[in-house]
Amino acid sequence: MVSVIWYAVRCEAGQEQKTAEYWKQKLADQAGEAFVFTYEKMKRYEGSWHLLKEPLFPGYVFLIVKEESLPKDQNLIPVGLEEQRFLQDIGGSRHHIPMSRGYIKEGQTCVTEGPLCGRESQIRKIDRHKRLARLECPIDQYQRKGLWAGLEIVSKS
């Protein structure tokens, strides 16, 4: 049985797509996968709200490779099993977190649609102005500053 291993590769913030393309070419014959984990967020400009797609982890590209086709590179950071499960649960096979929607009733957050539905207990802070939610995250680097995902609160009572 061939196991699959996840790696994170550091790159310059803003160069994630370029780095992912480089790794896709490098892994093409090894059936590996290179991707940038993204999320949707809302931003207001030109008088209206726009949906934007941004890197969830600025300065990082993720690789999924078979153990036997391990690329030789010192910049590879292994991703733990708990982190892998978290990323697969929240981002799915598309490695993307779409915008979630919900409401606040009597101080309790209830997410009605999107990947944050059922994860209300992991929400640590909501920025209603920016339409973002800070999540509790098992990924070491993001435990202190948190992981932000799009959450639109449509009503509060």
Side-chain angles (χ1 to χ4, degrees):
M1 184 177 117
V2 177
S3 63
V4 175
I5 301 175
W6 283 48
Y7 290 102
V9 179
R10 263 193 205 114
C11 66
E12 201 173 308
Q15 298 295 314
E16 296 90 358
Q17 283 302 101
K18 211 181 252 188
T19 306
E21 289 303 318
Y22 165 79
W23 278 99
K24 281 178 188 176
Q25 290 174 357
K26 195 170 180 176
L27 296 172
D29 59 330
Q30 299 164 343
E33 184 180 356
F35 59 90
V36 177
F37 216 96
T38 58
Y39 75 104
E40 285 180 351
K41 75 180 217 177
M42 301 288 286
K43 189 166 185 169
R44 187 177 173 99
Y45 57 89
E46 296 178 357
S48 61
W49 286 95
H50 301 269
L51 199 59
L52 302 175
K53 189 176 176 179
E54 298 212 349
L56 185 62
F57 303 101
Y60 287 91
V61 172
F62 289 86
L63 308 176
I64 300 176
V65 294
K66 292 181 181 166
E67 193 172 23
E68 62 192 29
S69 66
L70 213 59
K72 305 289 185 242
D73 195 310
Q74 270 49 24
N75 298 327
L76 299 178
I77 304 163
V79 177
L81 288 174
E82 185 181 354
E83 290 94 345
Q84 286 178 33
R85 269 188 237 112
F86 174 78
L87 292 173
Q88 286 174 329
D89 287 348
I90 201 163
S93 62
R94 294 178 55 221
H95 315 296
H96 176 73
I97 304 174
M99 192 76 178
S100 295
R101 285 178 183 65
Y103 61 90
I104 298 174
K105 185 174 183 178
E106 298 171 8
Q108 291 291 99
T109 303
C110 182
V111 181
T112 55
E113 60 182 85
L116 300 182
C117 191
R119 295 180 178 274
E120 290 86 353
S121 63
Q122 290 181 323
I123 296 174
R124 292 291 162 248
K125 181 180 180 180
I126 296 174
D127 185 333
R128 292 183 62 208
H129 179 71
K130 292 184 178 179
R131 299 180 183 189
L132 292 171
R134 192 175 107 205
L135 303 176
E136 184 178 281
C137 177
I139 299 171
D140 292 336
Q141 182 180 347
Y142 287 87
Q143 281 180 345
R144 253 184 286 122
K145 71 178 192 176
L147 181 81
W148 292 89
L151 175 63
E152 183 175 19
I153 300 296
V154 292
S155 70
K156 181 179 179 180
S157 60

Coordinates of all heavy atoms in Angstrom, one line a residue, residues 50-83:
H50 N -18.0 42.9 -3.1 CA -17.5 42.0 -4.1 C -16.9 40.8 -3.4 O -16.3 40.8 -2.4 CB -16.4 42.7 -4.9 CG -16.8 43.9 -5.6 ND1 -17.3 43.9 -6.9 CD2 -16.8 45.2 -5.3 CE1 -17.6 45.1 -7.3 NE2 -17.3 45.9 -6.3
L51 N -17.1 39.6 -4.1 CA -16.6 38.3 -3.5 C -15.2 38.1 -4.1 O -15.0 38.1 -5.3 CB -17.5 37.2 -4.0 CG -17.5 35.9 -3.2 CD1 -17.8 36.1 -1.8 CD2 -18.5 34.9 -3.8
L52 N -14.2 38.0 -3.2 CA -12.8 37.8 -3.6 C -12.3 36.4 -3.2 O -12.8 35.9 -2.2 CB -11.9 38.8 -3.0 CG -12.2 40.3 -3.3 CD1 -11.3 41.2 -2.5 CD2 -12.1 40.5 -4.8
K53 N -11.4 35.8 -3.9 CA -10.8 34.6 -3.6 C -9.3 34.9 -3.2 O -8.6 35.4 -4.0 CB -10.8 33.7 -4.8 CG -10.4 32.2 -4.6 CD -10.7 31.5 -5.9 CE -10.2 30.0 -5.8 NZ -10.4 29.3 -7.0
E54 N -8.9 34.5 -2.0 CA -7.6 34.8 -1.5 C -6.9 33.6 -0.9 O -7.6 32.7 -0.5 CB -7.7 35.9 -0.4 CG -8.2 37.2 -1.0 CD -7.7 38.4 -0.3 OE1 -7.0 38.3 0.7 OE2 -7.9 39.5 -0.8
P55 N -5.6 33.6 -0.9 CA -4.9 32.5 -0.2 C -5.2 32.4 1.3 O -5.2 33.4 2.0 CB -3.4 32.8 -0.4 CG -3.4 33.8 -1.5 CD -4.7 34.5 -1.4
L56 N -5.6 31.2 1.7 CA -5.9 31.0 3.2 C -4.6 31.1 4.0 O -4.6 31.6 5.1 CB -6.5 29.7 3.4 CG -7.0 29.3 4.8 CD1 -8.1 30.3 5.2 CD2 -7.6 27.9 4.8
F57 N -3.5 30.6 3.4 CA -2.2 30.6 4.1 C -1.2 31.4 3.2 O -0.5 30.8 2.4 CB -1.7 29.2 4.3 CG -2.6 28.3 5.1 CD1 -3.4 27.4 4.4 CD2 -2.7 28.4 6.5 CE1 -4.3 26.6 5.1 CE2 -3.5 27.6 7.2 CZ -4.3 26.7 6.5
P58 N -1.1 32.7 3.4 CA -0.2 33.5 2.6 C 1.2 33.0 2.8 O 1.7 32.8 3.9 CB -0.4 34.9 3.1 CG -1.7 34.9 3.8 CD -1.9 33.5 4.3
G59 N 1.9 32.8 1.6 CA 3.3 32.4 1.7 C 3.5 30.9 1.7 O 4.6 30.4 2.0
Y60 N 2.4 30.1 1.5 CA 2.5 28.7 1.5 C 1.8 28.0 0.4 O 0.7 28.5 0.0 CB 1.9 28.1 2.8 CG 2.8 28.3 4.0 CD1 2.6 29.5 4.8 CD2 3.8 27.5 4.4 CE1 3.4 29.7 5.9 CE2 4.6 27.7 5.5 CZ 4.4 28.8 6.3 OH 5.2 29.1 7.3
V61 N 2.4 27.0 -0.2 CA 1.8 26.1 -1.2 C 1.8 24.7 -0.6 O 2.7 24.3 0.1 CB 2.6 26.2 -2.5 CG1 2.1 25.1 -3.5 CG2 2.6 27.5 -3.1
F62 N 0.7 23.9 -0.9 CA 0.6 22.6 -0.4 C 0.9 21.6 -1.5 O 0.5 21.8 -2.6 CB -0.7 22.3 0.3 CG -0.9 23.1 1.5 CD1 -1.4 24.4 1.5 CD2 -0.6 22.5 2.7 CE1 -1.5 25.1 2.7 CE2 -0.8 23.2 3.9 CZ -1.2 24.5 3.9
L63 N 1.5 20.5 -1.1 CA 1.8 19.4 -2.0 C 1.2 18.1 -1.4 O 1.3 17.9 -0.2 CB 3.3 19.1 -2.2 CG 4.2 20.3 -2.5 CD1 5.7 19.9 -2.5 CD2 3.8 20.9 -3.9
I64 N 0.7 17.2 -2.3 CA 0.2 15.9 -1.9 C 1.0 15.0 -2.8 O 0.8 15.0 -4.1 CB -1.3 15.7 -2.1 CG1 -2.0 16.7 -1.2 CG2 -1.7 14.3 -1.7 CD1 -3.5 16.7 -1.3
V65 N 1.8 14.1 -2.3 CA 2.7 13.2 -3.0 C 2.6 11.8 -2.5 O 2.3 11.6 -1.3 CB 4.1 13.6 -3.1 CG1 4.3 14.9 -3.8 CG2 4.7 13.7 -1.7
K66 N 2.8 10.8 -3.3 CA 2.9 9.4 -2.9 C 4.3 9.3 -2.2 O 5.3 9.9 -2.6 CB 2.8 8.5 -4.1 CG 1.4 8.5 -4.6 CD 1.3 7.5 -5.8 CE -0.1 7.6 -6.4 NZ -0.2 6.9 -7.6
E67 N 4.3 8.4 -1.2 CA 5.6 8.3 -0.4 C 6.8 7.8 -1.3 O 7.9 8.3 -1.1 CB 5.4 7.2 0.6 CG 6.4 7.2 1.7 CD 6.1 6.3 2.8 OE1 5.2 5.4 2.7 OE2 6.6 6.5 3.9
E68 N 6.5 7.0 -2.3 CA 7.6 6.5 -3.1 C 8.1 7.6 -4.1 O 9.2 7.5 -4.6 CB 7.2 5.3 -3.9 CG 6.0 5.6 -4.9 CD 5.4 4.3 -5.4 OE1 5.4 3.3 -4.7 OE2 4.8 4.4 -6.5
S69 N 7.3 8.6 -4.4 CA 7.7 9.6 -5.4 C 8.1 10.9 -4.6 O 7.9 12.0 -5.1 CB 6.6 9.9 -6.3 OG 5.5 10.5 -5.7
L70 N 8.7 10.8 -3.5 CA 9.0 11.9 -2.7 C 10.1 12.8 -3.4 O 11.1 12.3 -3.7 CB 9.6 11.4 -1.4 CG 9.4 12.1 -0.1 CD1 8.0 12.3 0.2 CD2 10.1 11.4 1.1
P71 N 9.7 14.1 -3.6 CA 10.7 14.9 -4.2 C 11.8 15.3 -3.1 O 11.5 15.4 -2.0 CB 9.9 16.2 -4.5 CG 8.7 16.2 -3.7 CD 8.5 14.7 -3.4
K72 N 13.0 15.4 -3.6 CA 14.1 15.7 -2.7 C 14.3 17.3 -2.6 O 14.7 17.9 -3.5 CB 15.5 15.1 -3.2 CG 15.4 13.7 -3.4 CD 15.3 12.9 -2.1 CE 15.4 11.4 -2.4 NZ 14.2 10.7 -1.9
D73 N 13.8 17.8 -1.5 CA 13.9 19.3 -1.3 C 13.9 19.6 0.2 O 13.1 19.1 0.9 CB 12.7 19.9 -2.0 CG 12.9 21.4 -2.2 OD1 13.2 22.1 -1.2 OD2 12.7 21.9 -3.3
Q74 N 14.8 20.5 0.6 CA 14.9 20.8 2.0 C 13.8 21.8 2.5 O 13.6 22.0 3.6 CB 16.3 21.5 2.3 CG 17.4 20.6 2.6 CD 17.6 19.4 1.7 OE1 17.2 19.4 0.6 NE2 18.2 18.4 2.3
N75 N 13.1 22.4 1.5 CA 12.1 23.4 1.9 C 10.7 22.8 2.2 O 9.8 23.5 2.5 CB 11.9 24.4 0.8 CG 13.1 25.2 0.5 OD1 13.9 25.5 1.4 ND2 13.3 25.5 -0.8
L76 N 10.6 21.4 2.2 CA 9.3 20.8 2.4 C 9.1 20.7 3.9 O 9.9 20.2 4.7 CB 9.3 19.4 1.8 CG 9.5 19.3 0.3 CD1 9.5 17.9 -0.2 CD2 8.4 20.1 -0.4
I77 N 7.9 21.1 4.3 CA 7.5 21.0 5.7 C 6.3 20.0 5.8 O 5.3 20.2 5.2 CB 6.9 22.4 6.2 CG1 8.0 23.4 6.0 CG2 6.5 22.3 7.7 CD1 7.5 24.8 6.1
P78 N 6.5 18.8 6.5 CA 5.5 17.8 6.6 C 4.2 18.4 7.3 O 4.4 19.1 8.3 CB 6.1 16.7 7.4 CG 7.6 17.0 7.5 CD 7.7 18.4 7.2
V79 N 3.1 18.0 6.8 CA 1.8 18.5 7.4 C 1.3 17.3 8.2 O 1.1 16.2 7.7 CB 0.8 18.9 6.4 CG1 -0.6 19.3 7.0 CG2 1.3 20.1 5.6
G80 N 1.0 17.4 9.5 CA 0.5 16.4 10.4 C -0.9 15.8 10.0 O -1.6 16.5 9.3
L81 N -1.2 14.7 10.5 CA -2.5 14.0 10.2 C -3.7 14.8 10.7 O -4.7 14.9 10.0 CB -2.5 12.6 10.8 CG -1.7 11.6 10.1 CD1 -1.7 10.3 10.9 CD2 -2.1 11.4 8.7
E82 N -3.6 15.4 11.9 CA -4.7 16.2 12.4 C -4.9 17.4 11.5 O -6.1 17.8 11.2 CB -4.3 16.7 13.8 CG -5.5 17.4 14.5 CD -5.1 17.9 15.9 OE1 -4.0 17.5 16.4 OE2 -6.0 18.6 16.5
E83 N -3.8 18.1 11.1 CA -4.0 19.2 10.2 C -4.5 18.8 8.8 O -5.4 19.5 8.3 CB -2.6 19.9 10.0 CG -2.1 20.6 11.2 CD -1.1 19.8 12.1 OE1 -1.1 18.5 11.9 OE2 -0.4 20.3 12.9

